[in-house]
Amino acid sequence: MGKTATGIRLFNTLTRQKEEFVPIEFGKVGMYTCGPTVYDYAHIGNFRAFVFEDLLKRWLEYRGFKVVQVMNLTDIDDKTIKGSQKQSKPLREYTDFFANAFFEDIRALKITPATIYPRATDHIPEMVKLIKALLENGYAYKSEDNSIYYAISKFPGYGKLSHIKPAELKAGARVRQDEYAKEEAQDFALWKAYTDEDGNVFWDTELGKGRPGWHIECSAMSMKYLGETFDIHCGGVDNIFPHHENEIAQSEAATGKPFVLYWMHNEHLLVEGKKMAKRLGNFYTLRDLLQKGLDPLAIRYLLLSTHYRQQFNFTFEGLEAAKGAIERLANLQRRLQDANGKTDEEKLSELTQRVQTCFGAAMDDDLNVSVALASLFDFVREINYMLDANALSHEEAQKVYQTISEFDKVLGVIPKPKEESLPPEAQILIQKREEARKAKDWKTADAAREELKAMGIILEDTAQGIRWKREKT
Ligand SMILES: [Zn+2]
């Protein structure tokens, strides 16, 4: 193992403390992130996890690591079977639809794609092999109905992630469904023998006719692509038990090796101060929010701007503030293009050093993004002052532009200029003003400018031509 200090500290759920991050292989990170169960559109609580994982990956890449990220698609479990039966569709057709919707959603949120998205139904042989290994070494047993269960009493480390106490368990009590509460910690299903409820969803394997349990899917797919021991495993706190606890039990019992070095979990999301629930009318998929005309980058900014281990309250007011923050960054990037003054070099070098040190130190400290963002916006304010005082040359302004672009490789929130389009009526007004100016019709030109201003769009005549920006919010 390469024991090279990285300076990055991550909170490890396994030890309940921040630890120096030391990857197994120098310069490389293997990272598994539990993906969506493709039985419905993902909701913003799911996206909080995916955005956090994206931020973590981008930060590791910013620090020079090559990250291999595996995100599975759960396309076979209790929920997908029920969903497909409700719609009378073949399972694959039903899950394909929601898998595609998921990929559209992550594109909208600028989540960088994982290296690979293995689907559970494409990995049944790997799961069968793993279950066979557990049967052979005595950690699994067949029940009367031919299902195969994991015997949690056989694994001394059971409970080490979630801190449940195995002493409270009723030996041999079994749970068949994929999801259950801590109080119901019992032997769980690795392989579910076919029942009529499964309809036409089954595999004929050496283990009999049936289908895998949910937990074995992630053990099989993560170890296939990342090895028997890998660096980081992420998910939401609700995955700690039973899902991740069971993943550890299955994988470590089968291999005799530690499964994962760093477990990282993001906290829950509330909406307008309440737990998201359909009956409370505060349950939103990403699509619901986009249909309201909300900006996906503002949603992204809002989701990543609270530290991942803090409970996060999603509000529409917060979304407005997020939009304002993004506009401040985008407006500065536009202003920098037009800088044409004389640089106060001492000041600039001090500001640049400060933001790079503070942003870096904060992110290295278990992704302390609120502190990192505060230092970035201090920098933005100071650079705006320098631009006001014409104290940046064109060349130095380009360097500042680059500095901010580097930070945005981590944040992914500044829209590319072409993406930030003006409403058509504003484009018509700008054109009208141009024509009026050419015709030296100053009255019409000024009127058009005023109308634009009323829409919150400010025009600036620069040496490079006309530029526009949104009014500061
Ligand atoms: Zn998983």
Side-chain angles (χ1 to χ4, degrees):
M1 277 194 200
K3 289 284 177 206
T4 315
T6 58
I8 299 174
R9 291 168 63 76
L10 302 174
F11 186 89
N12 191 350
T13 310
L14 203 53
T15 58
R16 300 284 199 273
Q17 60 188 6
K18 280 189 211 170
E19 295 173 5
E20 166 100 22
F21 175 62
V22 182
I24 296 167
E25 203 180 325
F26 177 73
K28 289 188 181 167
V29 178
M31 174 172 160
Y32 188 84
T33 47
C34 285
T37 300
V38 281
Y39 76 110
D40 202 346
Y41 297 113
H43 58 68
I44 50 171
N46 302 132
F47 284 111
R48 181 181 195 201
F50 303 142
V51 167
F52 144 62
E53 291 153 358
D54 185 46
L55 184 69
L56 171 64
K57 177 171 73 170
R58 285 169 178 252
W59 182 247
L60 293 167
E61 286 173 345
Y62 180 92
R63 281 298 191 215
F65 292 95
K66 191 174 173 340
V67 181
V68 175
Q69 183 197 1
V70 179
M71 180 180 276
N72 70 298
L73 301 181
T74 299
D75 61 353
I76 164 77
D77 76 327
D78 298 350
K79 291 190 284 199
T80 45
I81 292 178
K82 243 189 219 134
S84 68
Q85 287 170 345
K86 236 184 192 168
Q87 290 194 7
S88 314
K89 276 187 186 160
L91 183 68
R92 185 76 184 209
E93 187 187 327
Y94 174 78
T95 57
D96 269 348
F97 177 83
F98 289 108
N100 289 334
F102 169 71
F103 288 122
E104 274 174 30
D105 286 352
I106 62 169
R107 264 197 301 279
L109 285 179
K110 286 248 168 71
I111 292 173
T112 50
T115 317
I116 181 164
Y117 291 98
R119 293 178 73 130
T121 52
D122 294 334
H123 294 78
I124 304 294
E126 287 84 349
M127 297 168 203
V128 169
K129 199 175 148 205
L130 195 54
I131 296 169
K132 273 178 68 188
L134 292 170
L135 280 169
E136 276 158 25
N137 64 17
Y139 287 95
Y141 62 92
K142 204 167 228 187
S143 68
E144 314 75 63
D145 73 343
N146 286 326
S147 291
I148 297 169
Y149 285 87
Y150 187 97
I152 60 174
S153 60
K154 294 273 169 66
F155 184 67
Y158 197 82
K160 65 180 170 183
L161 185 70
S162 59
H163 291 196
I164 59 154
K165 293 184 190 75
E168 292 164 10
L169 307 175
K170 288 166 248 134
R174 293 194 288 262
V175 52
R176 186 181 156 91
Q177 68 267 31
D178 290 326
E179 291 180 82
Y180 51 91
K182 273 186 190 184
E183 302 73 51
E184 296 158 18
Q186 292 166 14
D187 291 357
F188 58 91
L190 298 166
W191 185 259
K192 303 184 184 188
Y194 180 79
T195 70
D196 290 341
E197 284 178 358
D198 293 338
N200 56 5
V201 179
F202 62 84
W203 284 264
D204 254 320
T205 73
E206 294 167 66
L207 304 174
K209 181 177 171 179
R211 60 180 175 101
W214 171 37
H215 314 294
I216 198 74
E217 299 179 7
C218 282
S219 279
M221 290 186 280
S222 60
M223 292 199 290
K224 172 172 181 175
Y225 294 100
L226 296 169
E228 291 177 340
T229 303
F230 58 91
D231 298 301
I232 299 177
H233 194 315
C234 299
V237 284
D238 49 334
N239 280 152
I240 296 175
F241 189 89
H243 188 46
H244 292 165
E245 192 70 63
N246 291 353
E247 277 188 49
I248 293 176
Q250 296 163 155
S251 305
E252 298 194 350
T255 69
K257 295 176 190 162
F259 175 46
V260 169
L261 302 189
Y262 302 88
W263 284 93
M264 296 179 71
H265 293 97
N266 63 282
E267 260 300 334
H268 284 297
L269 171 137
L270 302 174
V271 175
E272 302 286 351
K274 294 199 180 83
K275 203 173 165 191
M276 192 163 63
K278 282 185 177 149
R279 66 186 168 78
L280 294 178
N282 68 348
F283 183 97
Y284 297 109
T285 64
L286 179 66
R287 276 139 204 268
D288 296 334
L289 298 177
L290 298 183
Q291 267 162 21
K292 286 176 184 280
L294 297 165
D295 176 5
L297 290 181
I299 297 169
R300 176 184 172 86
Y301 183 98
L302 187 58
L303 289 175
L304 66 71
S305 59
T306 296
H307 189 255
Y308 73 94
R309 282 193 292 116
Q310 272 172 19
Q311 203 170 56
F312 167 64
N313 188 18
F314 186 97
T315 65
F316 289 95
E317 205 182 312
L319 212 47
E320 275 304 303
K323 204 169 162 143
I326 294 172
E327 274 166 17
R328 278 203 294 284
L329 294 170
N331 279 341
L332 177 61
Q333 292 294 65
R334 271 197 293 273
R335 279 192 88 186
L336 286 164
Q337 303 288 14
D338 304 327
N340 216 351
K342 191 173 171 316
T343 303
D344 178 345
E345 286 184 17
E346 201 179 327
K347 172 112 183 146
L348 179 62
S349 133
E350 185 206 309
L351 290 175
T352 308
Q353 259 174 33
R354 193 198 303 160
V355 71
Q356 278 167 344
T357 309
C358 294
F359 191 98
M363 291 299 283
D364 279 345
D365 179 19
D366 193 34
L367 303 187
N368 196 342
V369 70
S370 18
V371 173
L373 287 173
S375 72
L376 177 59
F377 282 101
D378 279 347
F379 180 71
V380 168
R381 194 182 56 240
E382 294 292 330
I383 295 295
N384 270 318
Y385 290 152
M386 288 183 80
L387 287 165
D388 293 345
N390 210 21
L392 266 181
S393 71
H394 183 69
E395 201 187 17
E396 295 297 331
Q398 290 306 308
K399 287 186 195 159
V400 174
Y401 186 98
Q402 275 312 316
T403 304
I404 292 174
S405 302
E406 284 297 311
F407 291 135
D408 193 53
K409 277 189 193 159
V410 179
L411 303 170
V413 295
I414 303 181
K416 293 203 182 80
K418 64 171 167 37
E419 290 172 15
E420 202 190 8
S421 56
L422 283 170
E425 57 272 30
Q427 286 170 12
I428 292 166
L429 279 169
I430 291 176
Q431 213 179 343
K432 191 170 150 194
R433 176 174 172 267
E434 267 306 270
E435 282 161 11
R437 272 158 52 96
K438 273 186 201 146
K440 298 200 188 319
D441 176 1
W442 309 119
K443 209 176 144 200
T444 307
D446 285 348
R449 180 191 272 265
E450 283 308 306
E451 260 188 87
L452 284 159
K453 196 172 171 211
M455 295 166 72
I457 293 158
I458 311 272
L459 294 185
E460 290 173 336
D461 295 305
T462 73
Q464 287 85 21
I466 295 171
R467 292 192 180 277
W468 61 270
K469 67 171 189 177
R470 293 199 190 272
E471 203 162 22
K472 275 187 195 155
T473 45

